[in-house]
Amino acid sequence: AIHEGHIISAQELTALLQPLFTQNSRNVILFLQDRLSIDDFTYLSESYGNKNPFQNEFLQSSSSLALPAVDCEAIRYLLSFLQESGDWKLTNVTDLNVSQLQVNASEGNLLVVPLQALVSGLKEISTLEAIAENDKIIGRVTRDLQERGIHFSVIYTAVRPSRISRRTDVMAELRRQLMAAEEEDSLSYPPLNVTTGNSTCILFYAANFSLKANSSVFIDLTNATFVTPNVDSSASACSDSNTTLSLKYTKPVNGISSLEIRFLMTNKFYEGSARQWSTLDSLEIVQDEEKIAQFNVSAISAPAEYSFHCQLVGTSNFYPARLVPNNSEAKNWDVFISRLQLQGFNIENNQFSYASDCTGFFTPGIWMGLVTSIILVWILTYGIHMIMQLTTNNRFDDPKGPALSVPQTE
């Protein structure tokens, strides 16, 4: 029994799942979604009539264990715990072709299946349809294993909650926080780091890292990059003047055998500011080692000692930092990166430096306030000037004396 409001810690989760680790058939499938909460099961199943997105029988199984709230760090801790134990074989199932997997029943097998992201900002399908599609993936994977006679247990969870109740006692303390200053509550995985020798030369973090090819093929690289790393960054290169972050993915989706993302950064001295500045000059997408899409990058720069942070980066015209297509191949791609933080130079203690944000000092709200203030000051000044032009009578009519005559010239 779980008390209401209690959040399961990493150690508690390991203890609750201990029967899975000690049973004879230790095959565990971890279906990992980007966001999920216990309320989604009731809200989505009751609000849409017959369109219940949760159709798999294991969700209603009498032997299932439902944990309403689990710490975001628990899943990452669980994966590390299983890898360090040495008795488990960790396999990332990215192409969902389970029939080709070699499952050895004599040892523990953990199959990690990243599911489709619910929210990515690329005008994709609704949350209901996304969860329904994920439910079909869960059903397809479990049926394939059942047909092969493999006994297994299923864990369905997410990287972070989809519904967060805000407490009134901390609302006054909310403020913009970057990874360089203080770790956010929603941060559930560390940044990707590229090392040369014993030192880190590149740090890369994004809350959502997604692509869309030909306006139809959606590719979510968030989990493969940060949560359950399935990316090769060995081709990255670092120097004092030029740095390249190379991210290679094998079969990210059906139809694409390999995908490489390159972030090209430079570090130069600018006489106008009399200091070094690091800039992200371009981004390249290499599909199947032959199709190269090139993007020019606008508004991504920071002092060489700082990291760069931006809330939204992508190909849309409405993003603060925009990726501009530089060749015809680039027009076939849409890129969406949220809460990007990137540093390719002068990294100390394997941590991000103070972040230079892409939002300028004069935001639209500030400009609106300034223009409104100027108009009100002008109206006030004009009113005071008109009042100062008023004159009063300096002569008065005396009834005992002759009538007051005021010439027209006065």
Side-chain angles (χ1 to χ4, degrees), residues 94 116-117 120 122-125 209-221 251-259 285 287-288 291 331-336:
T94 55
Q116 176 178 275
S120 72
L122 287 176
K123 299 180 181 178
E124 72 279 6
I125 58 180
F209 185 23
S210 306
L211 307 175
K212 183 174 283 189
N214 299 318
S215 301
S216 59
V217 181
F218 176 73
I219 308 173
D220 185 9
L221 302 175
K251 293 184 179 179
V253 293
N254 293 330
I256 298 179
S257 59
S258 66
L259 189 67
I285 301 176
Q287 177 185 346
D288 300 330
K291 298 180 181 180
K331 297 179 181 179
N332 299 327
W333 290 89
D334 291 321
V335 182
F336 173 77

Side-chain angles (χ1 to χ4, degrees), residues 4 13 19 63 80 178-179 186 223-224 256 267 288 292 338 352 365:
E4 183 180 359
L13 179 63
S63 61
S80 302
L178 304 183
M179 291 175 60
S186 61
N223 291 338
I256 298 179
N267 184 18
D288 300 330
I292 302 178
S338 67
F352 279 112

Side-chain angles (χ1 to χ4, degrees), residues 121-122 210-211 283 295-298 300 310-325 333-338 340:
L122 287 176
S210 306
L211 307 175
L283 183 143
F295 296 87
N296 292 329
V297 184
S298 63
I300 296 187
C310 195
Q311 192 69 19
L312 292 174
V313 178
T315 51
S316 173
N317 295 328
F318 301 101
Y319 295 161
R322 185 169 177 248
L323 304 178
V324 182
W333 290 89
D334 291 321
V335 182
F336 173 77
I337 307 176
S338 67
L340 167 71

Side-chain angles (χ1 to χ4, degrees), residues 129-307:
E129 295 172 330
I131 290 186
E133 184 65 27
N134 289 340
D135 188 77
K136 294 179 183 178
I137 294 174
I138 294 173
R140 185 164 66 251
V141 173
T142 53
R143 283 194 300 271
D144 288 344
L145 293 177
Q146 287 175 344
E147 292 174 356
R148 297 172 60 184
I150 299 175
H151 300 281
F152 57 88
S153 300
V154 173
I155 300 176
Y156 180 33
T157 185
V159 178
R160 63 179 66 88
S162 60
R163 302 171 187 272
I164 301 176
S165 58
R166 294 190 175 184
R167 292 161 41 196
T168 57
D169 57 337
V170 298
M171 288 300 293
E173 301 177 4
L174 292 180
R175 61 190 184 279
R176 186 181 71 178
Q177 298 175 348
L178 304 183
M179 291 175 60
E182 184 178 348
E183 186 177 5
E184 295 183 342
D185 294 337
S186 61
L187 180 61
S188 56
Y189 46 79
L192 174 72
N193 65 80
V194 177
T195 59
T196 55
N198 296 326
S199 61
T200 300
C201 64
I202 303 176
L203 285 174
F204 171 61
Y205 173 83
N208 196 324
F209 185 23
S210 306
L211 307 175
K212 183 174 283 189
N214 299 318
S215 301
S216 59
V217 181
F218 176 73
I219 308 173
D220 185 9
L221 302 175
T222 309
N223 291 338
T225 307
F226 306 103
V227 183
T228 55
N230 189 24
V231 58
D232 180 13
S233 59
S234 59
S236 301
C238 301
S239 68
D240 294 336
S241 57
N242 295 279
T243 295
T244 300
L245 173 60
S246 174
L247 305 175
K248 293 183 179 179
Y249 306 88
T250 302
K251 293 184 179 179
V253 293
N254 293 330
I256 298 179
S257 59
S258 66
L259 189 67
E260 181 181 4
I261 314 296
R262 299 173 185 165
F263 296 83
L264 307 178
M265 295 171 280
T266 58
N267 184 18
K268 296 181 181 179
F269 179 82
Y270 291 86
E271 297 181 355
S273 59
R275 68 180 305 168
Q276 298 281 132
W277 284 79
S278 62
T279 59
L280 178 60
D281 296 326
S282 61
L283 183 143
E284 296 179 353
I285 301 176
V286 183
Q287 177 185 346
D288 300 330
E289 299 182 356
E290 56 181 17
K291 298 180 181 180
I292 302 178
Q294 297 178 340
F295 296 87
N296 292 329
V297 184
S298 63
I300 296 187
S301 62
E305 301 81 8
Y306 293 177
S307 64

Side-chain angles (χ1 to χ4, degrees), residues 378-391:
W378 180 82
I379 294 175
L380 178 63
T381 303
Y382 179 78
I384 294 176
H385 176 74
M386 295 300 294
I387 292 175
M388 293 178 62
Q389 298 301 315
L390 296 178
T391 58

Side-chain angles (χ1 to χ4, degrees), residues 321-384:
R322 185 169 177 248
L323 304 178
V324 182
N326 193 31
N327 60 1
S328 58
E329 187 65 29
K331 297 179 181 179
N332 299 327
W333 290 89
D334 291 321
V335 182
F336 173 77
I337 307 176
S338 67
R339 287 177 53 199
L340 167 71
Q341 190 158 3
L342 180 66
Q343 186 172 357
F345 305 95
N346 303 316
I347 298 176
E348 298 180 357
N349 301 323
N350 298 330
Q351 294 180 348
F352 279 112
S353 302
Y354 179 84
S356 175
D357 200 271
C358 63
T359 302
F361 179 78
F362 287 97
T363 62
I366 294 178
W367 278 115
M368 183 179 296
L370 287 175
V371 172
T372 304
S373 300
I374 292 174
I375 293 176
L376 292 177
V377 170
W378 180 82
I379 294 175
L380 178 63
T381 303
Y382 179 78
I384 294 176

